[in-house]
Amino acid sequence: MIHVPKNWYNILADIPFELPPDIPQPVRADRPEAVKPQLPLALVRQSMTRDPLVPIPESVFEKYLSWRPTPLRRARALERHLGTRARIYYKYEGGNASGSHKLCTAMAQAQCYAAAGARRLVTGTGAGQWGTALAVACREFGLACKVYMVAKSFHEKPYRKTIMRLYGAEVVPSPDPRAGRAAGRGEVHAGNIAFAVTEAFEDALTHEGTQLSVGSGEAYAILHSTVVGLEAAEQLGPADQPDIVIGSLGAGSNFGGIALPFAGRKLRGESDVRCVAVEAESCPKLTRGRYCYDYTDGSGVSPLQKMYTLGSRFTTAGGHIGGLRYHACSKIISALHHHGVVEAAAYPQPDIFASGALFARTEGILPAPESAHAVHGAIEAAKRADEAGTAPAILFCLSGHGLFDLASYEEYLNGTMADVPVSEEDIRRSLAELPQLDGQAVR
Amino acid sequence: MIHVPKNWYNILADIPFELPPDIPQPVRADRPEAVKPQLPLALVRQSMTRDPLVPIPESVFEKYLSWRPTPLRRARALERHLGTRARIYYKYEGGNASGSHKLCTAMAQAQCYAAAGARRLVTGTGAGQWGTALAVACREFGLACKVYMVAKSFHEKPYRKTIMRLYGAEVVPSPDPRAGRAAGRGEVHAGNIAFAVTEAFEDALTHEGTQLSVGSGEAYAILHSTVVGLEAAEQLGPADQPDIVIGSLGAGSNFGGIALPFAGRKLRGESDVRCVAVEAESCPKLTRGRYCYDYTDGSGVSPLQKMYTLGSRFTTAGGHIGGLRYHACSKIISALHHHGVVEAAAYPQPDIFASGALFARTEGILPAPESAHAVHGAIEAAKRADEAGTAPAILFCLSGHGLFDLASYEEYLNGTMADVPVSEEDIRRSLAELPQLDGQAVR
């Protein structure tokens, strides 16, 4: 009998170094309201505590029971196809109403905001996994919900909009084609997640009882996602704990959710597990970004956080990377990477989709493009192990299903899926717009 | 610990009446090959035996274990929303690689055909659930697969084509826009399932090593689907066996799969369970069709079977009923209905989708439009029970998920979903084309 955890795991209890502090933005005379406190005290506490275990509120735990524990499976058919000696396990998070792991933090956040008196939550979403999860959670906790969806995804994945509407959310494309002004920047640029969050932030600032909820990156979003890794550890049992743990990296909740409970063991000297964050080659913040202070959204009013970043105005050249299209990596995972506790890898888009299709054919679940990054990472890890003559246990998070992403798989089947490389010049140009203090980038 | 059944349940062992025999078609001089035996002996035996339990071949059972037993859940959130005293249980069959219950018979058929020497299977599919299931099963048993998909669905649900292609199948629209001649009829008409099967049949007749596989209606397809009801009976346990069992009716495998193990108990005098087949108001064969001999496909070469039918050239006026768009009800379930063992109900399309959306909002699974018929039937049964002051246990089959069907739910959300009534004149005109012997319809 596998139990749903009663607590989240907080890696802040185990890290032996200090996290660089956030830098609040000066209050701007033209937008004094833009720095008013937004976060419920419960979420602030969850972000700041050094307790290793943070109790899951009873009402959130009850919601978790409606879809947790999620399955932990061994990918035997995939193993046979690869002819690998590695044991490949996956934790499947796509079986819930929202179709991804995002529901773990969506439920927790909706509960906190509702308890703090909010009547309506707004958010930005990329491919739509987060927006769908928040729509479900808002319905469960009696909140209204509005989702600003990156325009490219809004138009390419119309059914994402439908499912969010079915769950009761209002959904609009970002940037709003009718809007002339965006919060704090005075200019509308092509859609990306940072900008969608900015538009949602603007909405929250100008509507009573409305709060901005964000799906990844923030410490509490990663904390809430650790139920994934905690469950997996119990499901695997003491006999076959993983040698390698792999998660896709957008901003951090996916990778952090599966990996941090294991990274904590490593920090405590209980194992020498390798934790590998797999990012898109077209959005390579950990592998090619800079570790420095940056905005977490595109507004220029959020506090600065020290992160691996490509710059908050970075826009990918295209491709189908969905929720991985975020310019930075959360400060906690960035710090863990900076200190060598977790690793990172980036792979080209056609290879990612080939692995996603192979997984569907062997294991019978079509991975979301985001999740296919972890699938590919696991396959690569198995191949490297076979070359080295080792036989590790590999665990990865299959964070969501790809049934909303079939247009991209159709492109793969037709052989028209392009590689989407990022030039050094692209990165240099984007990093040139990092926030400055006294005329200098903030280190 | 719930077990996957080792046997299928065969209702022929329990029916106290004779089934009207099939009537073979005369061999036509212009198409002598059209009546050559097509069916593997194993499937013939499974269709003819009077044994109550038919052993599931070991290699099929092993495949079943990859996704069975499927969940049996109580719809508590739906019950709360309705304020009903009824206990509503659902058996969820949408969690496998194909997304529906169709995989039960697809695996069994692929095994039989492969064992009989076939190298390639062809079929017709409506909304695509059956085609997807056969694509998965063919891959598992090393067979090539080609799917003729009703043109309307092919164009309205492009992602169904993608998922079938991902599993390795070739998919074409039916009618073939390039073809001038259709088997045995000399005329190409608007797409429907019967015609898609006809095109597949033509393919099988003209290609070496190729056989036609059909997904519903035939006795063996229903037999294979009874694992659904057998598992549900074990999962519910002796304390809470259902008073009412509900399934959607296309041709019969969905309804028969969930209901026949319970109908058998009724025939044996062990219970007085009500079994209710829910059909689309726009394709009302059980509620408004005629019980007489008809073709099972659109070719005019298949043996005639005595069924409730609207005529094999019946075409629905539109709407989103997917796999329920079949002109007749399988001969076994037709006979059970004729003898009063099972009931039937038909509901209008907007009500079906309202219940589907309600189910998604309460239980977190979006039903396929086909499955939404059973959801609506269960909700109606609960309401009638509340009115009557009873508190029955209601079991229905949630046969597949609706993530490929969001365009139709979008129509529902926009309030543009039309009722699709069928006039008496439509039915009369279609029944006028029933097959004739000596100038008379065959009774």
Side-chain angles (χ1 to χ4, degrees):
Chain A
M1 182 65 189
I2 300 299
H3 302 94
V4 176
K6 294 261 185 184
N7 301 281
W8 294 302
Y9 167 69
N10 175 26
I11 199 157
L12 294 181
D14 288 315
I15 58 171
F17 45 80
E18 285 299 316
L19 281 188
D22 297 356
I23 302 177
Q25 290 284 291
V27 178
R28 285 164 43 173
D30 60 328
R31 300 191 54 78
E33 80 287 6
V35 289
K36 76 175 180 187
Q38 297 284 323
L39 215 55
L41 202 54
L43 289 180
V44 174
R45 287 199 179 115
Q46 289 170 10
S47 302
M48 306 288 281
T49 177
R50 295 277 161 161
D51 293 342
L53 296 177
V54 178
I56 299 174
E58 188 59 32
S59 60
V60 175
F61 180 77
E62 276 171 25
K63 300 296 181 192
Y64 279 5
L65 290 181
S66 70
W67 83 96
R68 311 202 67 86
T70 61
L72 185 283
R73 299 195 186 123
R74 182 162 168 191
R76 289 188 189 273
L78 176 64
E79 289 175 16
R80 275 196 301 275
H81 178 91
L82 297 173
T84 183
R85 292 176 57 229
R87 300 178 301 294
I88 304 178
Y89 297 94
Y90 62 95
K91 180 75 168 159
Y92 182 46
E93 292 291 317
N96 64 54
S98 79
S100 83
H101 71 290
K102 291 284 187 188
L103 198 52
C104 302
T105 184
M107 285 291 192
Q109 290 190 43
Q111 187 271 336
C112 281
Y113 282 107
R119 298 186 305 276
R120 177 172 175 268
L121 294 185
V122 292
T123 196
T125 197
Q129 287 186 339
W130 166 244
T132 310
L134 195 66
V136 171
C138 282
R139 167 166 283 274
E140 290 294 316
F141 285 98
L143 299 165
C145 181
K146 180 168 180 177
V147 177
Y148 293 81
M149 185 172 184
V150 171
K152 178 176 161 68
S153 294
F154 183 90
H155 297 296
E156 286 181 2
K157 303 185 181 184
Y159 300 148
R160 268 290 176 193
K161 173 188 65 193
T162 309
I163 192 89
M164 286 187 265
R165 287 185 67 202
L166 268 171
Y167 289 130
E170 181 186 356
V171 190
V172 294
S174 165
D176 180 345
R178 297 162 309 175
R181 186 182 77 98
R185 293 296 276 272
E187 167 194 342
V188 176
H189 55 81
N192 66 15
I193 300 179
F195 194 81
V197 171
T198 301
E199 287 199 308
F201 187 47
E202 177 85 12
D203 181 317
L205 290 177
T206 53
H207 290 85
E208 264 298 299
T210 297
Q211 295 281 17
L212 169 70
S213 168
V214 293
S216 193
E218 294 298 329
Y220 52 83
I222 298 173
L223 178 80
H224 301 152
S225 305
T226 56
V227 287
V228 176
L230 291 169
E231 269 180 26
E234 183 181 344
Q235 286 166 313
L236 285 167
D240 205 13
Q241 286 294 302
D243 302 295
I244 308 173
V245 178
I246 294 170
S248 307
L249 188 94
S253 75
N254 185 341
F255 172 71
I258 188 83
L260 292 197
F262 297 97
R265 295 183 180 185
K266 183 173 180 170
L267 287 169
R268 298 192 300 272
E270 297 166 12
S271 90
D272 57 354
V273 62
R274 289 176 51 206
C275 297
V276 184
V278 180
E279 57 186 13
E281 200 186 59
S282 57
C283 195
K285 45 255 184 179
L286 277 181
T287 51
R288 293 169 69 192
R290 188 183 297 168
Y291 188 48
C292 60
Y293 278 91
D294 197 5
Y295 304 111
T296 56
D297 66 0
S299 71
V301 296
S302 63
L304 302 182
Q305 298 189 347
K306 190 160 187 179
M307 312 179 287
Y308 280 90
T309 183
L310 296 162
S312 67
R313 303 185 77 176
F314 179 79
T315 306
T316 54
H320 303 281
I321 60 170
L324 307 192
R325 198 183 289 116
Y326 183 68
H327 68 284
C329 171
S330 80
K331 63 181 178 181
I332 291 179
I333 291 165
S334 286
L336 290 168
H337 184 247
H338 181 68
H339 288 273
V341 182
V342 305
E343 307 168 31
Y347 298 105
Q349 175 165 272
D351 296 356
I352 299 294
F353 276 82
S355 289
L358 173 62
F359 192 82
R361 287 167 183 160
T362 49
E363 296 294 321
I365 301 173
L366 184 72
E370 295 90 334
S371 315
H373 286 72
V375 174
H376 186 69
I379 290 172
E380 286 295 309
K383 287 180 178 172
R384 294 299 85 75
D386 289 329
E387 287 165 9
T390 60
I394 299 169
L395 167 67
F396 72 91
C397 181
L398 189 67
S399 52
H401 68 69
L403 297 181
F404 290 105
D405 307 285
L406 282 157
S408 53
Y409 277 100
E410 181 73 19
E411 214 176 288
Y412 163 75
L413 286 170
N414 293 338
T416 55
M417 175 156 280
D419 209 347
V420 190
V422 177
S423 71
E424 287 305 319
E425 174 58 21
D426 291 338
I427 295 176
R428 197 197 55 71
R429 194 180 313 115
S430 174
L431 288 176
E433 298 198 53
L434 284 172
Q436 303 204 331
L437 280 183
D438 304 327
Q440 300 285 318
V442 194
R443 295 295 175 127
Chain B
M1 181 65 189
I2 301 300
H3 301 94
V4 177
K6 295 262 186 183
N7 301 282
W8 294 302
Y9 167 69
N10 174 26
I11 198 155
L12 294 182
D14 289 316
I15 59 172
F17 46 82
E18 285 299 316
L19 281 188
D22 297 355
I23 301 178
Q25 290 284 290
V27 178
R28 286 165 43 173
D30 60 329
R31 300 191 55 76
E33 80 287 6
V35 289
K36 76 175 180 187
Q38 297 283 325
L39 213 55
L41 201 55
L43 290 180
V44 174
R45 287 200 178 115
Q46 290 170 9
S47 302
M48 307 288 281
T49 177
R50 295 274 161 162
D51 294 342
L53 296 177
V54 179
I56 299 173
E58 187 59 31
S59 59
V60 175
F61 180 77
E62 276 172 24
K63 300 295 181 193
Y64 279 5
L65 290 181
S66 70
W67 83 95
R68 310 202 68 85
T70 61
L72 183 284
R73 299 195 185 122
R74 183 161 169 192
R76 289 188 188 272
L78 175 63
E79 289 175 17
R80 274 196 301 275
H81 179 91
L82 297 173
T84 183
R85 291 177 57 231
R87 300 179 302 294
I88 304 177
Y89 297 94
Y90 62 96
K91 180 76 169 159
Y92 183 45
E93 291 290 318
N96 64 54
S98 79
S100 84
H101 71 292
K102 291 284 186 188
L103 199 52
C104 302
T105 183
M107 285 291 192
Q109 291 191 42
Q111 188 271 337
C112 280
Y113 282 108
R119 297 187 304 277
R120 177 173 176 268
L121 294 184
V122 291
T123 196
T125 197
Q129 286 186 339
W130 165 243
T132 309
L134 195 65
V136 171
C138 281
R139 165 166 285 273
E140 290 294 317
F141 285 99
L143 298 164
C145 181
K146 181 169 180 177
V147 177
Y148 293 81
M149 184 171 184
V150 171
K152 179 176 159 67
S153 295
F154 183 89
H155 297 297
E156 286 182 0
K157 304 184 182 186
Y159 301 148
R160 268 288 176 195
K161 173 188 66 189
T162 310
I163 192 90
M164 288 187 263
R165 289 184 67 201
L166 268 171
Y167 288 131
E170 183 186 355
V171 190
V172 294
S174 165
D176 181 344
R178 298 161 309 176
R181 188 182 77 97
R185 293 296 275 273
E187 170 194 337
V188 177
H189 56 81
N192 66 14
I193 300 179
F195 194 80
V197 172
T198 302
E199 287 200 308
F201 188 47
E202 177 86 10
D203 181 316
L205 290 176
T206 54
H207 290 85
E208 265 298 300
T210 296
Q211 295 281 18
L212 171 69
S213 169
V214 293
S216 192
E218 295 297 330
Y220 52 82
I222 298 173
L223 178 80
H224 300 152
S225 305
T226 57
V227 286
V228 176
L230 291 169
E231 268 180 26
E234 183 180 345
Q235 286 166 315
L236 285 168
D240 205 13
Q241 286 295 302
D243 302 294
I244 307 173
V245 178
I246 294 170
S248 308
L249 188 93
S253 75
N254 186 340
F255 173 71
I258 188 82
L260 292 197
F262 297 96
R265 295 183 179 183
K266 181 172 183 170
L267 288 169
R268 296 192 301 273
E270 298 166 13
S271 91
D272 56 355
V273 62
R274 290 176 51 205
C275 297
V276 185
V278 181
E279 56 187 13
E281 200 186 59
S282 57
C283 195
K285 46 253 183 180
L286 277 181
T287 51
R288 294 170 68 193
R290 188 182 297 167
Y291 189 47
C292 62
Y293 279 91
D294 196 6
Y295 305 110
T296 56
D297 67 359
S299 71
V301 296
S302 62
L304 302 182
Q305 299 189 349
K306 190 160 186 178
M307 313 178 287
Y308 281 91
T309 182
L310 297 162
S312 67
R313 303 185 77 177
F314 179 79
T315 306
T316 54
H320 302 282
I321 61 170
L324 308 191
R325 197 182 289 116
Y326 183 68
H327 68 282
C329 171
S330 81
K331 63 181 179 182
I332 291 180
I333 291 166
S334 286
L336 290 167
H337 184 247
H338 181 68
H339 289 273
V341 183
V342 305
E343 306 168 32
Y347 298 105
Q349 175 165 274
D351 297 356
I352 299 294
F353 277 83
S355 289
L358 173 61
F359 191 82
R361 287 168 183 160
T362 49
E363 295 294 321
I365 301 174
L366 184 73
E370 296 89 335
S371 315
H373 287 72
V375 174
H376 185 69
I379 290 172
E380 286 296 308
K383 288 180 178 171
R384 296 298 85 75
D386 289 330
E387 286 165 13
T390 59
I394 299 169
L395 167 68
F396 73 90
C397 181
L398 188 69
S399 52
H401 68 70
L403 297 182
F404 290 105
D405 307 286
L406 282 158
S408 53
Y409 277 100
E410 181 72 19
E411 216 176 287
Y412 163 75
L413 287 170
N414 293 338
T416 55
M417 175 156 280
D419 210 346
V420 190
V422 178
S423 72
E424 286 306 318
E425 174 59 20
D426 290 338
I427 295 175
R428 198 199 55 73
R429 195 182 310 118
S430 175
L431 288 176
E433 296 197 56
L434 284 171
Q436 304 203 329
L437 280 183
D438 304 326
Q440 301 283 320
V442 193
R443 294 294 173 129

